[in-house]
Amino acid sequence: MKAMVYRGPYKVRVEEKDVPAIEHPNDAIIRVTLAAICGSDLHLYHGMMPDTRVGHTFGHEFIGVVEQVGSSVQNLKPGDRVMVPFNVYCGSCYFCARGLYSNCHNVNPNATAVGGIYGYSHTCGGYDGGQAEFVRVPFADVGPSLIPDWMDDEDALLCTDALATGYFGAQLGDIVEGDTVVVFGAGPVGLFAAKSAWFMGAGRVIVIDHLEYRLEKAREFAHAETFNFAEHKDIVVEMKKATGYLGADVVIDAVGAEADGNFIQHVTSAKLKLQGGSPVALNWAIDSVRKGGTVSVMGAYGPMFSAVKFGDALNKGLTLNMNQCPAKRQWPRLFEHIKNGHLKPNDIVTHRIPLEHIAEGYHIFSAKLDNVIKPLIVPSAG
């Protein structure tokens, strides 16, 4: 089969790999019909994630058709059209029993630090991902779900991570009616977080980025006020001014490890790998939220330490909420929003790229060319 393969930082290509086989009676083999490149895939692409091995296939956002199931699988059968959450999880451990699917204790040798994620390095379990024609899905009775007949493929795909994570980010903000919510980052997760904040009662939503075309999308898709941090000397001061010098009630970091805006932070994280990620957006979030407010962290960071302004968070009495999203837990509510027309996830899709051209897709997304927001990968389009 054809599959995206990592060959080193900034180097990916399509190669022939063996079609994955059933390795356990609970496995399923999925023929991928649609995948995506996530912003967090760029951390792998840029060589920032520890133990990303040559030959690994990325891709934790994918949907497909069941090709084969193991002897113990009861809920799926060949031919089923399914969506697969980005988390690999067992469904029965201490954490899964509490809905913390992203913290599953049985799917990763590094489980004390992080759960299992498809296509996200051996730090996250070493599972090959869905930027390929086929993918092996463990615990097939637990993670995958049938795609509702009324839902189109692109909307289903975006539920597997980006939309679910953005919605979860707003949930972790503990938004109450009338709150002012600031979202750092106008990428897919930030756009979905901003949109979701309205569903939870926000009275005002502000999105901050430095790419004007993404801020335009935030105004159009999420009906948000926008600020371009590159146009202001100090975006934190601007947020204080914009909120009567109190600060926002809730701030969501939807940027993560490769935040721009501070040269030293960028060099020590992205270039020298001395931090688990540049915490520029997170520090701006801590400084922009009001005392006693809540910071929700959805941007991805690596396992190493980062120079976070923890003292400011302590002295302001902040609540910091964060986790990898338990994607499937969000689906019932998201399905209702989509079915009722409150939300059209694929409004943010800008590129549909054949699998054969995935290297170009990574380059476009990494360099933010051609007004890219969300690129999809189509295995059968080549």
Side-chain angles (χ1 to χ4, degrees):
M1 69 167 184
K2 291 181 173 60
M4 168 272 175
V5 171
Y6 177 71
R7 304 303 299 178
Y10 293 87
K11 296 176 183 175
V12 300
R13 65 193 188 199
V14 173
E15 293 183 3
E16 287 291 332
K17 295 179 78 169
D18 292 339
V19 174
I22 298 288
E23 298 179 13
H24 185 280
N26 290 337
D27 286 352
I29 305 301
I30 306 296
R31 176 170 55 81
V32 179
T33 54
L34 197 60
I37 305 175
C38 178
S40 60
D41 286 331
L42 297 179
H43 307 329
L44 301 167
Y45 179 67
H46 295 157
M48 293 186 65
M49 192 68 181
D51 208 2
T52 303
R53 301 183 187 180
V54 169
H56 191 52
T57 295
F58 301 168
H60 55 270
E61 296 176 285
F62 60 90
I63 63 169
V65 175
V66 176
E67 185 78 6
Q68 185 182 1
V69 296
S71 59
S72 296
V73 175
Q74 298 182 352
N75 298 334
L76 300 179
K77 63 181 185 305
D80 283 344
R81 176 173 166 255
V82 294
M83 51 201 293
V84 182
F86 74 92
N87 326 103
V88 183
Y89 61 100
C90 73
S92 57
C93 71
Y94 174 93
F95 300 98
C96 288
R98 289 156 177 79
L100 299 170
Y101 309 140
S102 55
N103 307 112
C104 178
H105 215 50
N106 287 330
V107 292
N108 183 1
N110 303 307
T112 54
V114 62
I117 300 175
Y118 293 99
Y120 214 77
S121 81
H122 281 66
T123 298
C124 297
Y127 299 91
D128 266 342
Q131 291 169 4
E133 292 181 310
F134 295 91
V135 60
R136 182 178 74 90
V137 172
F139 300 102
D141 276 338
V142 178
S145 286
L146 299 180
I147 298 173
D149 291 338
W150 52 265
M151 183 180 286
D152 72 37
D153 281 357
E154 292 187 357
D155 289 343
L157 172 69
L158 291 165
C159 287
T160 64
D161 179 9
L163 172 57
T165 295
Y167 190 82
F168 185 55
Q171 277 185 327
L172 291 189
D174 293 330
I175 297 165
V176 299
E177 188 172 354
D179 272 354
T180 294
V181 178
V182 170
V183 180
F184 280 97
V189 170
L191 291 171
F192 286 136
K195 183 88 170 184
S196 300
W198 294 115
F199 298 153
M200 297 171 197
R204 187 181 182 192
V205 178
I206 299 170
V207 174
I208 298 169
D209 204 297
H210 66 120
L211 298 172
E212 193 52 46
Y213 75 91
R214 291 192 170 198
L215 292 173
E216 182 179 345
K217 191 67 177 179
R219 293 190 289 271
E220 170 203 328
F221 175 76
H223 311 293
E225 301 171 51
T226 60
F227 283 76
N228 185 330
F229 71 77
E231 296 177 352
H232 299 279
K233 183 178 180 181
D234 188 335
I235 192 62
V236 171
V237 171
E238 292 303 315
M239 287 303 96
K240 294 287 175 61
K241 290 179 182 175
T243 55
Y245 291 95
L246 284 178
D249 301 294
V250 176
V251 180
I252 300 171
D253 170 10
V255 180
E258 296 190 68
D260 289 312
N262 184 299
F263 178 75
I264 293 175
Q265 295 278 23
H266 177 72
V267 168
T268 56
S269 57
K271 302 302 180 184
L272 301 179
K273 311 291 193 294
L274 297 176
Q275 300 191 72
S278 166
V280 176
L282 179 53
N283 285 338
W284 283 345
I286 289 170
D287 288 340
S288 298
V289 74
R290 65 166 167 78
K291 287 178 282 189
T294 299
V295 173
S296 166
V297 185
M298 285 299 102
Y301 291 87
M304 290 177 60
F305 66 86
S306 294
V308 176
K309 300 177 77 172
F310 187 74
D312 282 2
L314 169 69
N315 294 323
K316 292 178 70 174
L318 304 185
T319 298
L320 306 181
N321 289 330
M322 65 202 82
N323 200 352
Q324 294 281 353
C325 173
K328 191 172 180 177
R329 208 175 76 191
Q330 318 306 318
W331 288 355
R333 186 64 61 88
L334 292 176
F335 287 5
E336 289 300 313
H337 283 308
I338 296 169
K339 191 172 185 179
N340 291 328
H342 303 148
L343 181 63
K344 185 58 178 160
N346 76 343
D347 280 350
I348 71 161
V349 173
T350 53
H351 291 68
R352 296 162 180 86
I353 300 167
L355 177 61
E356 286 79 356
H357 298 161
I358 195 168
E360 183 181 357
Y362 268 91
H363 172 66
I364 291 170
F365 200 25
S366 172
K368 304 293 183 288
L369 304 176
D370 197 28
N371 289 350
V372 64
I373 293 177
K374 187 64 177 177
L376 306 188
I377 301 299
V378 188
S380 61

PDB file of all heavy atoms in Angstrom, residues 163-179 181 192-203 205 252 330 333-334 337:
ATOM      1  N   LEU A 163     -12.178  19.434  15.623  1.00  0.00           N
ATOM      2  CA  LEU A 163     -13.414  19.986  16.177  1.00  0.00           C
ATOM      3  C   LEU A 163     -13.591  19.546  17.632  1.00  0.00           C
ATOM      4  O   LEU A 163     -13.918  20.360  18.502  1.00  0.00           O
ATOM      5  CB  LEU A 163     -14.617  19.539  15.338  1.00  0.00           C
ATOM      6  CG  LEU A 163     -15.992  19.893  15.912  1.00  0.00           C
ATOM      7  CD1 LEU A 163     -16.140  21.378  16.153  1.00  0.00           C
ATOM      8  CD2 LEU A 163     -17.103  19.389  14.982  1.00  0.00           C
ATOM      9  N   ALA A 164     -13.378  18.262  17.889  1.00  0.00           N
ATOM     10  CA  ALA A 164     -13.542  17.770  19.260  1.00  0.00           C
ATOM     11  C   ALA A 164     -12.583  18.486  20.211  1.00  0.00           C
ATOM     12  O   ALA A 164     -12.953  18.849  21.341  1.00  0.00           O
ATOM     13  CB  ALA A 164     -13.307  16.261  19.301  1.00  0.00           C
ATOM     14  N   THR A 165     -11.358  18.715  19.771  1.00  0.00           N
ATOM     15  CA  THR A 165     -10.372  19.375  20.633  1.00  0.00           C
ATOM     16  C   THR A 165     -10.732  20.842  20.858  1.00  0.00           C
ATOM     17  O   THR A 165     -10.612  21.360  21.973  1.00  0.00           O
ATOM     18  CB  THR A 165      -8.971  19.242  20.013  1.00  0.00           C
ATOM     19  OG1 THR A 165      -8.612  17.851  19.995  1.00  0.00           O
ATOM     20  CG2 THR A 165      -7.937  19.998  20.817  1.00  0.00           C
ATOM     21  N   GLY A 166     -11.171  21.532  19.820  1.00  0.00           N
ATOM     22  CA  GLY A 166     -11.586  22.919  20.003  1.00  0.00           C
ATOM     23  C   GLY A 166     -12.758  23.035  20.952  1.00  0.00           C
ATOM     24  O   GLY A 166     -12.797  23.908  21.836  1.00  0.00           O
ATOM     25  N   TYR A 167     -13.726  22.147  20.792  1.00  0.00           N
ATOM     26  CA  TYR A 167     -14.904  22.142  21.683  1.00  0.00           C
ATOM     27  C   TYR A 167     -14.487  21.846  23.120  1.00  0.00           C
ATOM     28  O   TYR A 167     -14.943  22.494  24.069  1.00  0.00           O
ATOM     29  CB  TYR A 167     -15.889  21.090  21.175  1.00  0.00           C
ATOM     30  CG  TYR A 167     -17.246  21.124  21.821  1.00  0.00           C
ATOM     31  CD1 TYR A 167     -18.219  22.025  21.402  1.00  0.00           C
ATOM     32  CD2 TYR A 167     -17.575  20.233  22.840  1.00  0.00           C
ATOM     33  CE1 TYR A 167     -19.473  22.051  21.988  1.00  0.00           C
ATOM     34  CE2 TYR A 167     -18.831  20.249  23.430  1.00  0.00           C
ATOM     35  CZ  TYR A 167     -19.781  21.153  22.994  1.00  0.00           C
ATOM     36  OH  TYR A 167     -21.021  21.171  23.574  1.00  0.00           O
ATOM     37  N   PHE A 168     -13.584  20.885  23.264  1.00  0.00           N
ATOM     38  CA  PHE A 168     -13.081  20.514  24.585  1.00  0.00           C
ATOM     39  C   PHE A 168     -12.343  21.694  25.223  1.00  0.00           C
ATOM     40  O   PHE A 168     -12.447  21.934  26.439  1.00  0.00           O
ATOM     41  CB  PHE A 168     -12.140  19.319  24.427  1.00  0.00           C
ATOM     42  CG  PHE A 168     -11.625  18.720  25.702  1.00  0.00           C
ATOM     43  CD1 PHE A 168     -12.482  18.297  26.696  1.00  0.00           C
ATOM     44  CD2 PHE A 168     -10.255  18.541  25.900  1.00  0.00           C
ATOM     45  CE1 PHE A 168     -11.997  17.716  27.873  1.00  0.00           C
ATOM     46  CE2 PHE A 168      -9.762  17.970  27.054  1.00  0.00           C
ATOM     47  CZ  PHE A 168     -10.636  17.557  28.049  1.00  0.00           C
ATOM     48  N   GLY A 169     -11.610  22.449  24.403  1.00  0.00           N
ATOM     49  CA  GLY A 169     -10.913  23.617  24.925  1.00  0.00           C
ATOM     50  C   GLY A 169     -11.867  24.633  25.521  1.00  0.00           C
ATOM     51  O   GLY A 169     -11.597  25.222  26.568  1.00  0.00           O
ATOM     52  N   ALA A 170     -12.996  24.824  24.843  1.00  0.00           N
ATOM     53  CA  ALA A 170     -13.998  25.740  25.394  1.00  0.00           C
ATOM     54  C   ALA A 170     -14.630  25.151  26.651  1.00  0.00           C
ATOM     55  O   ALA A 170     -14.873  25.870  27.635  1.00  0.00           O
ATOM     56  CB  ALA A 170     -15.065  26.025  24.338  1.00  0.00           C
ATOM     57  N   GLN A 171     -14.872  23.842  26.645  1.00  0.00           N
ATOM     58  CA  GLN A 171     -15.411  23.195  27.853  1.00  0.00           C
ATOM     59  C   GLN A 171     -14.494  23.412  29.048  1.00  0.00           C
ATOM     60  O   GLN A 171     -14.954  23.730  30.156  1.00  0.00           O
ATOM     61  CB  GLN A 171     -15.563  21.690  27.616  1.00  0.00           C
ATOM     62  CG  GLN A 171     -16.823  21.264  26.914  1.00  0.00           C
ATOM     63  CD  GLN A 171     -16.926  19.741  26.850  1.00  0.00           C
ATOM     64  OE1 GLN A 171     -15.916  19.040  26.757  1.00  0.00           O
ATOM     65  NE2 GLN A 171     -18.151  19.243  26.865  1.00  0.00           N
ATOM     66  N   LEU A 172     -13.195  23.218  28.843  1.00  0.00           N
ATOM     67  CA  LEU A 172     -12.253  23.347  29.949  1.00  0.00           C
ATOM     68  C   LEU A 172     -12.118  24.794  30.421  1.00  0.00           C
ATOM     69  O   LEU A 172     -11.531  25.042  31.476  1.00  0.00           O
ATOM     70  CB  LEU A 172     -10.879  22.798  29.547  1.00  0.00           C
ATOM     71  CG  LEU A 172     -10.768  21.282  29.352  1.00  0.00           C
ATOM     72  CD1 LEU A 172      -9.309  20.869  29.182  1.00  0.00           C
ATOM     73  CD2 LEU A 172     -11.393  20.506  30.501  1.00  0.00           C
ATOM     74  N   GLY A 173     -12.624  25.723  29.641  1.00  0.00           N
ATOM     75  CA  GLY A 173     -12.632  27.110  30.087  1.00  0.00           C
ATOM     76  C   GLY A 173     -13.680  27.386  31.159  1.00  0.00           C
ATOM     77  O   GLY A 173     -13.687  28.448  31.766  1.00  0.00           O
ATOM     78  N   ASP A 174     -14.583  26.423  31.378  1.00  0.00           N
ATOM     79  CA  ASP A 174     -15.659  26.610  32.369  1.00  0.00           C
ATOM     80  C   ASP A 174     -16.376  27.940  32.134  1.00  0.00           C
ATOM     81  O   ASP A 174     -16.614  28.717  33.074  1.00  0.00           O
ATOM     82  CB  ASP A 174     -15.101  26.536  33.801  1.00  0.00           C
ATOM     83  CG  ASP A 174     -14.600  25.153  34.157  1.00  0.00           C
ATOM     84  OD1 ASP A 174     -15.138  24.171  33.625  1.00  0.00           O
ATOM     85  OD2 ASP A 174     -13.658  25.048  34.963  1.00  0.00           O
ATOM     86  N   ILE A 175     -16.727  28.175  30.883  1.00  0.00           N
ATOM     87  CA  ILE A 175     -17.355  29.437  30.490  1.00  0.00           C
ATOM     88  C   ILE A 175     -18.741  29.552  31.126  1.00  0.00           C
ATOM     89  O   ILE A 175     -19.514  28.590  31.126  1.00  0.00           O
ATOM     90  CB  ILE A 175     -17.472  29.498  28.952  1.00  0.00           C
ATOM     91  CG1 ILE A 175     -16.075  29.482  28.314  1.00  0.00           C
ATOM     92  CG2 ILE A 175     -18.249  30.737  28.516  1.00  0.00           C
ATOM     93  CD1 ILE A 175     -16.081  29.178  26.826  1.00  0.00           C
ATOM     94  N   VAL A 176     -19.030  30.714  31.668  1.00  0.00           N
ATOM     95  CA  VAL A 176     -20.392  30.990  32.154  1.00  0.00           C
ATOM     96  C   VAL A 176     -20.962  32.133  31.329  1.00  0.00           C
ATOM     97  O   VAL A 176     -20.235  32.868  30.648  1.00  0.00           O
ATOM     98  CB  VAL A 176     -20.420  31.328  33.655  1.00  0.00           C
ATOM     99  CG1 VAL A 176     -19.893  30.166  34.481  1.00  0.00           C
ATOM    100  CG2 VAL A 176     -19.631  32.590  33.948  1.00  0.00           C
ATOM    101  N   GLU A 177     -22.271  32.304  31.395  1.00  0.00           N
ATOM    102  CA  GLU A 177     -22.967  33.251  30.537  1.00  0.00           C
ATOM    103  C   GLU A 177     -22.365  34.649  30.668  1.00  0.00           C
ATOM    104  O   GLU A 177     -22.190  35.162  31.775  1.00  0.00           O
ATOM    105  CB  GLU A 177     -24.457  33.281  30.882  1.00  0.00           C
ATOM    106  CG  GLU A 177     -25.283  34.091  29.912  1.00  0.00           C
ATOM    107  CD  GLU A 177     -26.774  33.939  30.162  1.00  0.00           C
ATOM    108  OE1 GLU A 177     -27.139  33.113  31.025  1.00  0.00           O
ATOM    109  OE2 GLU A 177     -27.557  34.640  29.506  1.00  0.00           O
ATOM    110  N   GLY A 178     -22.056  35.235  29.530  1.00  0.00           N
ATOM    111  CA  GLY A 178     -21.556  36.602  29.495  1.00  0.00           C
ATOM    112  C   GLY A 178     -20.055  36.730  29.567  1.00  0.00           C
ATOM    113  O   GLY A 178     -19.513  37.835  29.467  1.00  0.00           O
ATOM    114  N   ASP A 179     -19.334  35.628  29.720  1.00  0.00           N
ATOM    115  CA  ASP A 179     -17.871  35.688  29.844  1.00  0.00           C
ATOM    116  C   ASP A 179     -17.217  36.258  28.592  1.00  0.00           C
ATOM    117  O   ASP A 179     -17.672  36.027  27.465  1.00  0.00           O
ATOM    118  CB  ASP A 179     -17.293  34.279  30.082  1.00  0.00           C
ATOM    119  CG  ASP A 179     -17.246  33.915  31.557  1.00  0.00           C
ATOM    120  OD1 ASP A 179     -17.556  34.778  32.399  1.00  0.00           O
ATOM    121  OD2 ASP A 179     -16.890  32.763  31.865  1.00  0.00           O
ATOM    122  N   VAL A 181     -14.128  35.669  26.345  1.00  0.00           N
ATOM    123  CA  VAL A 181     -13.230  34.547  26.059  1.00  0.00           C
ATOM    124  C   VAL A 181     -12.224  34.981  24.996  1.00  0.00           C
ATOM    125  O   VAL A 181     -12.605  35.460  23.924  1.00  0.00           O
ATOM    126  CB  VAL A 181     -14.016  33.316  25.556  1.00  0.00           C
ATOM    127  CG1 VAL A 181     -13.060  32.174  25.225  1.00  0.00           C
ATOM    128  CG2 VAL A 181     -15.039  32.882  26.598  1.00  0.00           C
ATOM    129  N   PHE A 192     -12.398  26.433  16.014  1.00  0.00           N
ATOM    130  CA  PHE A 192     -13.478  25.636  16.612  1.00  0.00           C
ATOM    131  C   PHE A 192     -13.688  25.993  18.084  1.00  0.00           C
ATOM    132  O   PHE A 192     -14.823  25.965  18.575  1.00  0.00           O
ATOM    133  CB  PHE A 192     -13.169  24.145  16.462  1.00  0.00           C
ATOM    134  CG  PHE A 192     -13.362  23.611  15.066  1.00  0.00           C
ATOM    135  CD1 PHE A 192     -12.429  22.760  14.490  1.00  0.00           C
ATOM    136  CD2 PHE A 192     -14.495  23.927  14.344  1.00  0.00           C
ATOM    137  CE1 PHE A 192     -12.605  22.256  13.206  1.00  0.00           C
ATOM    138  CE2 PHE A 192     -14.689  23.445  13.050  1.00  0.00           C
ATOM    139  CZ  PHE A 192     -13.741  22.604  12.483  1.00  0.00           C
ATOM    140  N   ALA A 193     -12.620  26.323  18.795  1.00  0.00           N
ATOM    141  CA  ALA A 193     -12.770  26.735  20.197  1.00  0.00           C
ATOM    142  C   ALA A 193     -13.557  28.035  20.287  1.00  0.00           C
ATOM    143  O   ALA A 193     -14.435  28.201  21.151  1.00  0.00           O
ATOM    144  CB  ALA A 193     -11.393  26.880  20.849  1.00  0.00           C
ATOM    145  N   ALA A 194     -13.244  28.981  19.396  1.00  0.00           N
ATOM    146  CA  ALA A 194     -13.947  30.267  19.401  1.00  0.00           C
ATOM    147  C   ALA A 194     -15.428  30.073  19.082  1.00  0.00           C
ATOM    148  O   ALA A 194     -16.307  30.646  19.734  1.00  0.00           O
ATOM    149  CB  ALA A 194     -13.302  31.210  18.386  1.00  0.00           C
ATOM    150  N   LYS A 195     -15.698  29.255  18.071  1.00  0.00           N
ATOM    151  CA  LYS A 195     -17.101  28.973  17.706  1.00  0.00           C
ATOM    152  C   LYS A 195     -17.837  28.303  18.876  1.00  0.00           C
ATOM    153  O   LYS A 195     -18.978  28.647  19.197  1.00  0.00           O
ATOM    154  CB  LYS A 195     -17.116  28.051  16.485  1.00  0.00           C
ATOM    155  CG  LYS A 195     -18.495  27.739  15.943  1.00  0.00           C
ATOM    156  CD  LYS A 195     -18.937  28.768  14.936  1.00  0.00           C
ATOM    157  CE  LYS A 195     -20.203  28.338  14.217  1.00  0.00           C
ATOM    158  NZ  LYS A 195     -20.590  29.289  13.183  1.00  0.00           N
ATOM    159  N   SER A 196     -17.158  27.354  19.526  1.00  0.00           N
ATOM    160  CA  SER A 196     -17.779  26.602  20.619  1.00  0.00           C
ATOM    161  C   SER A 196     -18.035  27.487  21.831  1.00  0.00           C
ATOM    162  O   SER A 196     -18.973  27.231  22.596  1.00  0.00           O
ATOM    163  CB  SER A 196     -16.879  25.420  21.011  1.00  0.00           C
ATOM    164  OG  SER A 196     -16.688  24.540  19.922  1.00  0.00           O
ATOM    165  N   ALA A 197     -17.189  28.500  22.034  1.00  0.00           N
ATOM    166  CA  ALA A 197     -17.366  29.378  23.195  1.00  0.00           C
ATOM    167  C   ALA A 197     -18.750  30.028  23.185  1.00  0.00           C
ATOM    168  O   ALA A 197     -19.378  30.204  24.242  1.00  0.00           O
ATOM    169  CB  ALA A 197     -16.274  30.433  23.214  1.00  0.00           C
ATOM    170  N   TRP A 198     -19.240  30.369  21.992  1.00  0.00           N
ATOM    171  CA  TRP A 198     -20.593  30.947  21.912  1.00  0.00           C
ATOM    172  C   TRP A 198     -21.637  29.956  22.395  1.00  0.00           C
ATOM    173  O   TRP A 198     -22.601  30.332  23.071  1.00  0.00           O
ATOM    174  CB  TRP A 198     -20.902  31.362  20.478  1.00  0.00           C
ATOM    175  CG  TRP A 198     -20.076  32.481  19.933  1.00  0.00           C
ATOM    176  CD1 TRP A 198     -19.185  32.422  18.915  1.00  0.00           C
ATOM    177  CD2 TRP A 198     -20.073  33.855  20.363  1.00  0.00           C
ATOM    178  NE1 TRP A 198     -18.620  33.660  18.675  1.00  0.00           N
ATOM    179  CE2 TRP A 198     -19.153  34.560  19.545  1.00  0.00           C
ATOM    180  CE3 TRP A 198     -20.764  34.553  21.360  1.00  0.00           C
ATOM    181  CZ2 TRP A 198     -18.903  35.920  19.713  1.00  0.00           C
ATOM    182  CZ3 TRP A 198     -20.518  35.915  21.513  1.00  0.00           C
ATOM    183  CH2 TRP A 198     -19.603  36.580  20.704  1.00  0.00           C
ATOM    184  N   PHE A 199     -21.467  28.647  22.013  1.00  0.00           N
ATOM    185  CA  PHE A 199     -22.436  27.629  22.436  1.00  0.00           C
ATOM    186  C   PHE A 199     -22.524  27.548  23.954  1.00  0.00           C
ATOM    187  O   PHE A 199     -23.542  27.132  24.509  1.00  0.00           O
ATOM    188  CB  PHE A 199     -22.041  26.242  21.898  1.00  0.00           C
ATOM    189  CG  PHE A 199     -22.008  26.133  20.397  1.00  0.00           C
ATOM    190  CD1 PHE A 199     -21.174  25.209  19.778  1.00  0.00           C
ATOM    191  CD2 PHE A 199     -22.813  26.932  19.606  1.00  0.00           C
ATOM    192  CE1 PHE A 199     -21.131  25.097  18.393  1.00  0.00           C
ATOM    193  CE2 PHE A 199     -22.784  26.831  18.223  1.00  0.00           C
ATOM    194  CZ  PHE A 199     -21.942  25.921  17.613  1.00  0.00           C
ATOM    195  N   MET A 200     -21.434  27.902  24.635  1.00  0.00           N
ATOM    196  CA  MET A 200     -21.379  27.747  26.089  1.00  0.00           C
ATOM    197  C   MET A 200     -21.702  29.032  26.836  1.00  0.00           C
ATOM    198  O   MET A 200     -21.525  29.099  28.050  1.00  0.00           O
ATOM    199  CB  MET A 200     -19.993  27.205  26.479  1.00  0.00           C
ATOM    200  CG  MET A 200     -19.766  25.822  25.875  1.00  0.00           C
ATOM    201  SD  MET A 200     -18.105  25.197  26.060  1.00  0.00           S
ATOM    202  CE  MET A 200     -18.110  23.889  24.812  1.00  0.00           C
ATOM    203  N   GLY A 201     -22.146  30.055  26.086  1.00  0.00           N
ATOM    204  CA  GLY A 201     -22.661  31.249  26.745  1.00  0.00           C
ATOM    205  C   GLY A 201     -21.753  32.457  26.736  1.00  0.00           C
ATOM    206  O   GLY A 201     -22.057  33.454  27.409  1.00  0.00           O
ATOM    207  N   ALA A 202     -20.640  32.394  26.038  1.00  0.00           N
ATOM    208  CA  ALA A 202     -19.739  33.543  26.013  1.00  0.00           C
ATOM    209  C   ALA A 202     -20.483  34.794  25.552  1.00  0.00           C
ATOM    210  O   ALA A 202     -21.347  34.739  24.673  1.00  0.00           O
ATOM    211  CB  ALA A 202     -18.550  33.271  25.091  1.00  0.00           C
ATOM    212  N   GLY A 203     -20.152  35.924  26.163  1.00  0.00           N
ATOM    213  CA  GLY A 203     -20.749  37.192  25.753  1.00  0.00           C
ATOM    214  C   GLY A 203     -19.880  37.935  24.765  1.00  0.00           C
ATOM    215  O   GLY A 203     -20.330  38.866  24.088  1.00  0.00           O
ATOM    216  N   VAL A 205     -16.158  37.079  22.238  1.00  0.00           N
ATOM    217  CA  VAL A 205     -15.089  36.166  21.850  1.00  0.00           C
ATOM    218  C   VAL A 205     -14.059  36.948  21.031  1.00  0.00           C
ATOM    219  O   VAL A 205     -14.410  37.615  20.050  1.00  0.00           O
ATOM    220  CB  VAL A 205     -15.620  34.976  21.035  1.00  0.00           C
ATOM    221  CG1 VAL A 205     -14.465  34.069  20.604  1.00  0.00           C
ATOM    222  CG2 VAL A 205     -16.642  34.174  21.851  1.00  0.00           C
ATOM    223  N   ILE A 252      -7.952  30.740  26.101  1.00  0.00           N
ATOM    224  CA  ILE A 252      -7.667  29.414  25.559  1.00  0.00           C
ATOM    225  C   ILE A 252      -6.388  29.485  24.733  1.00  0.00           C
ATOM    226  O   ILE A 252      -6.299  30.284  23.793  1.00  0.00           O
ATOM    227  CB  ILE A 252      -8.837  28.915  24.690  1.00  0.00           C
ATOM    228  CG1 ILE A 252     -10.118  28.836  25.531  1.00  0.00           C
ATOM    229  CG2 ILE A 252      -8.507  27.551  24.074  1.00  0.00           C
ATOM    230  CD1 ILE A 252     -11.382  28.571  24.715  1.00  0.00           C
ATOM    231  N   GLN A 330     -16.829  13.741  23.148  1.00  0.00           N
ATOM    232  CA  GLN A 330     -17.471  14.977  22.683  1.00  0.00           C
ATOM    233  C   GLN A 330     -18.494  14.714  21.578  1.00  0.00           C
ATOM    234  O   GLN A 330     -19.281  15.602  21.236  1.00  0.00           O
ATOM    235  CB  GLN A 330     -16.402  15.944  22.136  1.00  0.00           C
ATOM    236  CG  GLN A 330     -15.130  16.055  22.940  1.00  0.00           C
ATOM    237  CD  GLN A 330     -15.373  16.387  24.387  1.00  0.00           C
ATOM    238  OE1 GLN A 330     -16.212  17.225  24.690  1.00  0.00           O
ATOM    239  NE2 GLN A 330     -14.653  15.736  25.293  1.00  0.00           N
ATOM    240  N   ARG A 333     -22.631  15.459  21.639  1.00  0.00           N
ATOM    241  CA  ARG A 333     -23.029  16.872  21.594  1.00  0.00           C
ATOM    242  C   ARG A 333     -22.665  17.503  20.239  1.00  0.00           C
ATOM    243  O   ARG A 333     -23.449  18.280  19.681  1.00  0.00           O
ATOM    244  CB  ARG A 333     -22.348  17.627  22.745  1.00  0.00           C
ATOM    245  CG  ARG A 333     -22.777  19.070  22.898  1.00  0.00           C
ATOM    246  CD  ARG A 333     -24.257  19.200  23.248  1.00  0.00           C
ATOM    247  NE  ARG A 333     -24.579  18.557  24.503  1.00  0.00           N
ATOM    248  CZ  ARG A 333     -24.488  19.168  25.698  1.00  0.00           C
ATOM    249  NH1 ARG A 333     -24.104  20.409  25.760  1.00  0.00           N
ATOM    250  NH2 ARG A 333     -24.800  18.529  26.809  1.00  0.00           N
ATOM    251  N   LEU A 334     -21.491  17.144  19.721  1.00  0.00           N
ATOM    252  CA  LEU A 334     -21.087  17.702  18.421  1.00  0.00           C
ATOM    253  C   LEU A 334     -22.023  17.245  17.310  1.00  0.00           C
ATOM    254  O   LEU A 334     -22.358  18.019  16.402  1.00  0.00           O
ATOM    255  CB  LEU A 334     -19.645  17.294  18.096  1.00  0.00           C
ATOM    256  CG  LEU A 334     -18.572  17.909  18.997  1.00  0.00           C
ATOM    257  CD1 LEU A 334     -17.196  17.358  18.639  1.00  0.00           C
ATOM    258  CD2 LEU A 334     -18.575  19.421  18.888  1.00  0.00           C
ATOM    259  N   HIS A 337     -25.014  19.480  17.315  1.00  0.00           N
ATOM    260  CA  HIS A 337     -24.741  20.811  16.756  1.00  0.00           C
ATOM    261  C   HIS A 337     -24.657  20.755  15.229  1.00  0.00           C
ATOM    262  O   HIS A 337     -25.152  21.643  14.528  1.00  0.00           O
ATOM    263  CB  HIS A 337     -23.434  21.367  17.325  1.00  0.00           C
ATOM    264  CG  HIS A 337     -23.554  21.898  18.721  1.00  0.00           C
ATOM    265  ND1 HIS A 337     -24.517  22.805  19.091  1.00  0.00           N
ATOM    266  CD2 HIS A 337     -22.813  21.650  19.845  1.00  0.00           C
ATOM    267  CE1 HIS A 337     -24.380  23.099  20.374  1.00  0.00           C
ATOM    268  NE2 HIS A 337     -23.355  22.399  20.858  1.00  0.00           N
TER     269      HIS A 337
END
